[in-house]
Each structure stands twice: as structure tokens, then as C-alpha cells.
Amino acid sequence: MSTELRSRKKLKRDVQIWLEDVQRIDGEIQSLDGIIGKSSAITRGFRAEDVLKMLKELEEHIQKGKFHEGLVVDNPQWIGQVLSVTALSGEAAQAYIEEIWLYLMDDEVQKIGFCGMGGVGKTSIMKLINNQILKETWNFNSVIWITVSKEMSTAKLQKDIAIKIGVTFSGDEDETTKAGMLFETLSRKSRFLMILDDLWDRIFLDKVGIPEPSAGSKIVLTTRSFDVCRQVGCCRVVKINPLAEEEAWNLFLEKVGRVVLNIPNLEPIAKSIAKHCAGLPFAIITVASCMKGIDDLYKWRNALKELSLYVKSVNGLEDDVFQQLRFSYDRLKDLKLQHCFLSCALYPEDFRIKEEDLIQLWIALWRKWMVGRQSLTGVVR
């Protein structure tokens, strides 16, 4: 059998597999018609009869010797980025997910606000929703996740959005021109969902280049401030509260391990530690992870004492997360590990830190420290 003939057979086999996938997707869409009625999903799929026609044309092209270098079929189903998530537990988290989901499915709702104090789980819940939406592609044609953070600027926000939607800036444009380029591209997108995570202050959508959502498009923002939701014009706002005491305790047990219940006299101390986390999932997970595997009653009592001191020294509910981070930081008894941890704070929020770059930074800091120490030794002498 010649190489050309083998290539043709392989190509036909690959296309046949693709056709089977198309027929499967087509069948799934047909079954959905009876559930949700007419849907934009129909226009997103491939009808089997159309593909058979295309396959016949493809066979003719193969016979003519075309596609001799192979055939590449793009994946038409990709509409957004799947995000890494932390598993959530408890009825409260599920209730928030369901409420936001209802608003996302309501064409009368264009802007949704999700507000609550830091560490309460806003981002984790929205990541779960983001991933779920990507599985159900008939709702939105594109999902755009943007992390805003406290150090937000219009220029940075425009840059981040441009990367996500495939707009390239030359570097010479001013903010107004960039806004126009983003506005034009987003306006051509039908049924897009933009998630603005961790918004601290009001933004003017037109100044950034984000069109007012319409025709099935939506904007969701997470923030600590209800006022930000109101100023941006959210017609629906979901406020997330800290976990109830029982749910907080169950989450603590889940992360620290239920084996602690078998240690005499430990349960009351562990419950007191869990209460110091103020119902914040992030704080609970952080502290419980630090205490996991510790069965020494004295160490548990000492941990409770430390947390009590932190509460007295740091005021304000928004600083509860800081207290638990400080507790976690102090568990790193090695000074070198603490310095390595602090060096990560030099990077912007949600920055993708490369291991090689981080190691080089540690080496540079260590060399600088050694040079300073040698200089100090010389002065003392």
C-alpha cells in the first residue's frame, strides 16, 4: 500500500470520527429542543445532513490530491477558559449559586452584582458558575473572566479585556481609542458574559470600552461594596454572608480531619478556633490546614491563644482574613520560608508566577542579604 493511499485512508477515518461526534452533538441538541424550546444552540451545532454533503465534497477534494499535508478541524465549542476551583460545601453556597444562575438565565436581567466581605467566597462561587456555563454553551457564545483587583486602572483593565477578546493594541493608542476598539469588538459579539471579579471602585463601562449589555449579553461583578453594585447599575444584587456557626464548624472539620474529635478535650478548643475565623471560608480553610495532623493538645491551646491575640491587635471585620493569614505565616517557623512567602507578595494579584522566575528572585535576595551581612561584619570589625 502506497504512502499516499494510507494517508487518504487515515484522513477519511479522522473525518468519519469527526462526523460521528457531529451526529452525537446534533442528537443532543435535538433532545434539548423538547426541553427548552427554540434555542440559539441550534445555530451553534452542525446538522448531520449538512456534514454529509461536506463529507462528499471532501472526498472529491481528496481524490484530486488536495489536503496532502493533512486536515485540521478547529474546535467550535470553545467559548471561554475553565478555571481552577475549590470545592464548596454547605446549603448556603448552593443557594447563592442557584440564585445567580436564575438571574443569568433571565433575559430581562443584564447586570448582576455579587457582594460580600473579603474571604467570604465570592470568587470561588463565581468560578464554579463560570465552569458550569462553559458546559452549557447554548446560554452564551463567549464567557470573559477579568480579574480587576484593588490596583485597578483603566489602561490595565483595557489591556486585560483586549487579551481575552483578541484585540491587539499597537501601543500608540490613547484610552479613548482603545475603548473604541474594545467597544466595536464586544458589540459584534452576541450573548457574551463578562465577569468582573474583585471590583473595588466604580468603573464607567463606556470609558473602558464595555458596551451596555443587551440581546442576551450580561455583566456580573463581584465586589465588597454594595455601593459599587448600585453605581455600576446592577439591577440584581446578591449579598453573600459569612457561614453560620454549624456550617463553619463542618467546613473546619472537613479540612482539619474528623480525627480531631477522637482526641480527648480537643473539640471545645477546636470549636473556639473555628469561631475566630468569623465564618469566612478562606480563613477557615487556611487555619484548618495549618492545624491538620496536630494531635498535641498544648499546640492547639497555644494556637487558640495566638488567634485571640491577633483579634485584639487587628480591628475591623475586613481584617479577619489578615488575622488568619498572619496565623498561617507564623506557622512557618523557618525564617527562610517566611521570606520566600513574603517575596510572593511582590507580585500583583492573580499574577501567574513562573517557578523559574521565583527561584531566581530568591537567589538574588539571598545574595543581596549575604553581601549586606558581609558589609555589616566588616564595619563591626
Side-chain angles (χ1 to χ4, degrees), residues 76-224:
Q77 299 298 314
W78 196 94
I79 64 170
Q81 179 61 55
V82 175
L83 303 173
S84 60
V85 297
T86 302
L88 300 178
S89 58
E91 296 179 358
Q94 187 59 37
Y96 292 126
I97 291 173
E98 291 176 0
E99 184 175 2
I100 295 173
W101 190 265
L102 285 175
Y103 293 145
L104 287 171
M105 299 302 109
D106 187 348
D107 283 342
E108 298 300 317
V109 178
Q110 281 79 43
K111 297 178 187 175
I112 306 165
F114 191 28
C115 67
M117 60 187 297
V120 80
K122 302 183 296 296
T123 298
S124 296
I125 287 175
M126 282 311 305
K127 283 183 175 180
L128 285 170
I129 292 175
N130 174 91
N131 292 352
Q132 185 62 28
I133 289 173
L134 296 180
K135 295 179 182 178
E136 305 184 17
T137 56
W138 57 83
N139 296 305
F140 297 99
N141 293 326
S142 60
V143 180
I144 307 160
W145 179 286
I146 303 294
T147 300
V148 184
S149 76
K150 192 173 184 177
E151 292 74 28
M152 187 271 294
S153 68
T154 300
K156 181 181 183 301
L157 192 53
Q158 288 177 328
K159 178 183 176 182
D160 292 343
I161 295 175
I163 292 173
K164 293 296 179 68
I165 65 175
V167 172
T168 303
F169 297 142
S170 66
D172 298 328
E173 304 92 347
D174 57 20
E175 287 187 358
T176 302
T177 303
K178 290 178 180 178
M181 295 170 67
L182 296 178
F183 185 92
E184 183 180 9
T185 301
L186 287 171
S187 296
R188 290 198 301 264
K189 292 181 177 290
S190 61
R191 300 187 70 86
F192 71 82
L193 170 64
M194 180 173 290
I195 302 172
L196 300 173
D197 183 48
D198 197 19
L199 188 62
W200 283 68
D201 298 301
R202 177 184 183 180
I203 62 169
F204 295 92
L205 299 181
D206 57 342
K207 186 178 179 181
V208 176
I210 305 172
E212 288 290 332
S214 61
S217 294
K218 297 182 188 293
I219 294 174
V220 180
L221 59 92
T222 73
T223 177
R224 301 186 182 194

Side-chain angles (χ1 to χ4, degrees), residues 55-73:
L55 185 60
K56 184 178 179 180
E57 294 176 357
L58 181 63
E59 174 68 22
E60 294 175 358
H61 286 306
I62 293 174
Q63 294 296 336
K64 294 178 181 179
K66 297 183 179 181
F67 307 123
H68 61 280
E69 294 182 354
L71 177 66
V72 177
V73 179

Side-chain angles (χ1 to χ4, degrees), residues 159-299:
K159 178 183 176 182
D160 292 343
I161 295 175
I163 292 173
K164 293 296 179 68
I165 65 175
V167 172
T168 303
F169 297 142
S170 66
D172 298 328
E173 304 92 347
D174 57 20
E175 287 187 358
T176 302
T177 303
K178 290 178 180 178
M181 295 170 67
L182 296 178
F183 185 92
E184 183 180 9
T185 301
L186 287 171
S187 296
R188 290 198 301 264
K189 292 181 177 290
S190 61
R191 300 187 70 86
F192 71 82
L193 170 64
M194 180 173 290
I195 302 172
L196 300 173
D197 183 48
D198 197 19
L199 188 62
W200 283 68
D201 298 301
R202 177 184 183 180
I203 62 169
F204 295 92
L205 299 181
D206 57 342
K207 186 178 179 181
V208 176
I210 305 172
E212 288 290 332
S214 61
S217 294
K218 297 182 188 293
I219 294 174
V220 180
L221 59 92
T222 73
T223 177
R224 301 186 182 194
S225 169
F226 176 83
D227 286 339
V228 170
C229 297
R230 178 179 55 81
Q231 291 165 353
V232 175
C234 296
C235 57
R236 295 290 185 273
V237 178
V238 179
K239 190 176 188 303
I240 180 172
N241 299 308
L243 297 177
E245 186 174 325
E246 183 178 356
E247 280 197 322
W249 172 238
N250 289 335
L251 178 59
F252 186 89
L253 278 181
E254 178 186 328
K255 299 302 178 183
V256 79
R258 303 188 71 88
V259 67
V260 299
L261 299 177
N262 300 328
I263 302 175
N265 305 317
L266 180 56
E267 183 174 345
I269 300 173
K271 282 188 173 181
S272 295
I273 289 177
K275 285 182 181 179
H276 277 296
C277 297
L280 302 177
F282 178 81
I284 293 170
I285 293 172
T286 300
V287 173
S289 299
C290 290
M291 302 306 297
K292 187 177 180 66
I294 297 177
D295 55 8
D296 188 331
L297 196 61
Y298 171 78
K299 291 183 178 180

Side-chain angles (χ1 to χ4, degrees), residues 301-338:
R301 285 174 176 160
N302 188 53
L304 177 58
K305 183 179 179 180
E306 287 183 28
L307 280 172
S308 300
L309 291 174
Y310 295 150
V311 170
K312 292 179 181 178
S313 63
V314 182
N315 297 319
L317 287 175
E318 292 292 343
D319 292 317
D320 282 333
V321 175
F322 173 78
Q323 299 166 15
Q324 320 315 330
L325 285 175
R326 172 68 185 274
F327 175 83
S328 176
Y329 173 76
D330 287 345
R331 301 267 79 70
L332 299 171
K333 298 301 183 181
D334 190 329
L335 186 61
K336 293 178 181 178
L337 288 178
Q338 290 181 339

